Amino acid sequence: MKDTWEDKTDAEVDAGTMSAAVLLAREQVQSDAQVSLLTTLTVIFIILLGITLLTKDLNFLSLSLLKPLRTLAEEMQSIVQLQIAGLNMEEVKMEKSCAEIRMINRIFNNMKKAIKSWGKYVPWPVVQILLRAGVDAEPGMKTKEVTIFFSDIAGFTTIVEHLDPEQSLLLLSRYFNDMSKVIDDHQGIVIEFIGDAILSVFGSPMKNPDHSTACVKAALGMLSALDKINHWALARGLPEIRIRCGVHTGRVMIGNMGFQSRMKYGVVGAEATVADKLEEINKNYGTNLLISQATYQRISHDAFVIRPIDVLRFSHRGDSPKAEMVYNVMTKDRLGTIKHKLRPVATLHMRGIRRYRDRQFAEALELFREVNSMMKKLMAVEEDPPAVLMIKRCETYLANPPPLHWDGVWDEK
């Protein structure tokens, strides 16, 4: 059997090889290389095309779906965090989004308008509490100590008689807007507008242990805001306005009043009417801010310039009410060692009131005359109404002393 080439070793094959043939395959190699290069370029092109199309699809997805959803999520988060007053009420345009997203956005915008409108009728803190609790509003009130503020525009009935209805509405709208902002800034809530009057409460539903001080600061802030309002009014041919304010701290029934289908947030009780009465009796003393003894006892006397005005009885105290002092908050006091220029006047007026209550009418008379003289110089006024009133009373009692058990309340009879 003959050996085949496969059976021979490499050495045997080399020894038996007499000649060799060389095959020329250059064209085949070049052809294979071109095909390989073309294939590689085609794959690269396909990959780049895919990336381009994917990027375009992602941009479309972002514009039509992700970005609108992100905007809606941020707005919803505002509601979840109870930042209702800060909601963007302008409708976000989403023409490039899909139909479903546009429908969700339209529904959500309607919901925002409904919640925002609700807050115009109900105090925002009440709305926030209901949203936080996730419950329906139900009638119910609790007894709680709060500070109540009541204000009225002096002579507003006479003012509106000389204005067109549109002018009256314009003036009241600006007034209510600016006053409400001051109340909001001091954590109070507006209970209601009664004609040109404002009734607000501090200490509920938002908890504030220093609600008495917050209310007095708000009242002074409202009096200061009048300057800006009057400047605006004069530029439009509208009359200047002045307001009288009353502040009282006491226990009242506060909460949702009414019945299941119609209710409001309000206050009731004997103490709820004191602020209204204090506002009214400002007329007797020529003052613009009176506070009750209960409020005076709960605020820092160093933070304000306060003077006692008179001893009064309120009918809500019962058949034999206890005489109580009423105070006039003149202004805020300065911090530091340099006190407000009216501080000495308030101190002198307080000394006069003490002499008056101690039946030392001659000494009280001289002190009140000095108060009146100081106020003329410091405030550039013709006279100080509270001091002048007490001067007249002292003169009356010097001529006709009050009864032996007189409690300091002026008897107009």
Side-chain angles (χ1 to χ4, degrees), residues 2-17:
K2 295 182 179 179
D3 293 333
T4 62
W5 285 101
E6 290 80 359
D7 297 331
K8 296 181 181 294
T9 64
D10 292 341
E12 292 175 339
V13 172
D14 291 340
T17 300

Short mmCIF file of all heavy atoms in Angstrom, two decimals, residues 2-17:
data_model
loop_
_atom_site.label_atom_id
_atom_site.label_comp_id
_atom_site.label_asym_id
_atom_site.label_seq_id
_atom_site.Cartn_x
_atom_site.Cartn_y
_atom_site.Cartn_z
N LYS A 2 0.65 2.11 -0.88
CA LYS A 2 1.48 3.30 -1.01
C LYS A 2 1.11 4.32 0.04
O LYS A 2 -0.05 4.48 0.38
CB LYS A 2 1.32 3.92 -2.42
CG LYS A 2 1.85 3.01 -3.51
CD LYS A 2 1.72 3.70 -4.85
CE LYS A 2 2.27 2.83 -5.99
NZ LYS A 2 2.13 3.44 -7.32
N ASP A 3 2.16 5.01 0.50
CA ASP A 3 1.90 6.06 1.47
C ASP A 3 1.34 7.29 0.76
O ASP A 3 1.74 7.62 -0.35
CB ASP A 3 3.20 6.45 2.18
CG ASP A 3 3.71 5.30 3.05
OD1 ASP A 3 2.85 4.51 3.49
OD2 ASP A 3 4.92 5.27 3.31
N THR A 4 0.40 7.94 1.41
CA THR A 4 -0.17 9.21 0.89
C THR A 4 0.56 10.37 1.50
O THR A 4 1.33 10.22 2.45
CB THR A 4 -1.68 9.29 1.22
OG1 THR A 4 -1.84 9.31 2.63
CG2 THR A 4 -2.41 8.09 0.64
N TRP A 5 0.33 11.57 0.90
CA TRP A 5 0.95 12.79 1.43
C TRP A 5 0.52 13.05 2.86
O TRP A 5 1.28 13.56 3.65
CB TRP A 5 0.59 13.99 0.55
CG TRP A 5 1.34 14.01 -0.74
CD1 TRP A 5 0.90 13.64 -1.96
CD2 TRP A 5 2.69 14.42 -0.89
NE1 TRP A 5 1.87 13.78 -2.93
CE2 TRP A 5 3.01 14.29 -2.28
CE3 TRP A 5 3.71 14.89 -0.05
CZ2 TRP A 5 4.27 14.59 -2.81
CZ3 TRP A 5 4.93 15.21 -0.60
CH2 TRP A 5 5.20 15.05 -1.94
N GLU A 6 -0.67 12.61 3.16
CA GLU A 6 -1.17 12.85 4.52
C GLU A 6 -0.40 12.02 5.54
O GLU A 6 -0.29 12.39 6.71
CB GLU A 6 -2.67 12.53 4.63
CG GLU A 6 -3.56 13.52 3.89
CD GLU A 6 -3.62 13.25 2.38
OE1 GLU A 6 -2.96 12.32 1.94
OE2 GLU A 6 -4.31 14.02 1.68
N ASP A 7 0.18 10.86 5.09
CA ASP A 7 0.88 9.98 6.02
C ASP A 7 2.34 10.38 6.23
O ASP A 7 3.01 9.86 7.10
CB ASP A 7 0.83 8.53 5.51
CG ASP A 7 -0.61 8.01 5.44
OD1 ASP A 7 -1.44 8.51 6.28
OD2 ASP A 7 -0.91 7.19 4.59
N LYS A 8 2.83 11.27 5.39
CA LYS A 8 4.23 11.69 5.49
C LYS A 8 4.39 12.79 6.50
O LYS A 8 3.50 13.58 6.74
CB LYS A 8 4.74 12.15 4.12
CG LYS A 8 4.77 11.03 3.08
CD LYS A 8 5.31 11.56 1.76
CE LYS A 8 5.34 10.47 0.69
NZ LYS A 8 6.29 9.39 1.01
N THR A 9 5.62 12.83 7.04
CA THR A 9 5.94 13.91 7.97
C THR A 9 6.33 15.14 7.18
O THR A 9 6.54 15.08 5.96
CB THR A 9 7.10 13.51 8.89
OG1 THR A 9 8.27 13.31 8.09
CG2 THR A 9 6.79 12.23 9.68
N ASP A 10 6.46 16.26 7.88
CA ASP A 10 6.84 17.51 7.23
C ASP A 10 8.22 17.40 6.62
O ASP A 10 8.47 17.90 5.51
CB ASP A 10 6.83 18.67 8.24
CG ASP A 10 5.42 18.99 8.71
OD1 ASP A 10 4.45 18.60 8.01
OD2 ASP A 10 5.26 19.68 9.75
N ALA A 11 9.11 16.74 7.31
CA ALA A 11 10.48 16.57 6.77
C ALA A 11 10.47 15.74 5.51
O ALA A 11 11.18 16.03 4.54
CB ALA A 11 11.37 15.93 7.84
N GLU A 12 9.69 14.69 5.50
CA GLU A 12 9.60 13.83 4.32
C GLU A 12 8.97 14.59 3.17
O GLU A 12 9.38 14.43 2.00
CB GLU A 12 8.79 12.58 4.64
CG GLU A 12 9.49 11.65 5.62
CD GLU A 12 8.63 10.49 6.02
OE1 GLU A 12 7.37 10.59 5.88
OE2 GLU A 12 9.15 9.49 6.50
N VAL A 13 7.96 15.40 3.45
CA VAL A 13 7.32 16.19 2.38
C VAL A 13 8.32 17.17 1.80
O VAL A 13 8.42 17.34 0.58
CB VAL A 13 6.08 16.93 2.93
CG1 VAL A 13 5.53 17.90 1.89
CG2 VAL A 13 5.00 15.95 3.31
N ASP A 14 9.08 17.87 2.65
CA ASP A 14 10.07 18.82 2.16
C ASP A 14 11.13 18.14 1.32
O ASP A 14 11.57 18.66 0.29
CB ASP A 14 10.74 19.53 3.35
CG ASP A 14 9.78 20.45 4.07
OD1 ASP A 14 8.74 20.84 3.45
OD2 ASP A 14 10.04 20.81 5.25
N ALA A 15 11.57 16.92 1.74
CA ALA A 15 12.61 16.19 1.00
C ALA A 15 12.09 15.69 -0.35
O ALA A 15 12.82 15.62 -1.33
CB ALA A 15 13.10 14.99 1.85
N GLY A 16 10.84 15.41 -0.43
CA GLY A 16 10.30 14.88 -1.68
C GLY A 16 9.77 15.94 -2.60
O GLY A 16 9.29 15.63 -3.69
N THR A 17 9.78 17.19 -2.21
CA THR A 17 9.24 18.28 -3.04
C THR A 17 10.34 18.80 -3.94
O THR A 17 11.37 19.27 -3.46
CB THR A 17 8.70 19.42 -2.17
OG1 THR A 17 7.66 18.91 -1.32
CG2 THR A 17 8.14 20.54 -3.03
#
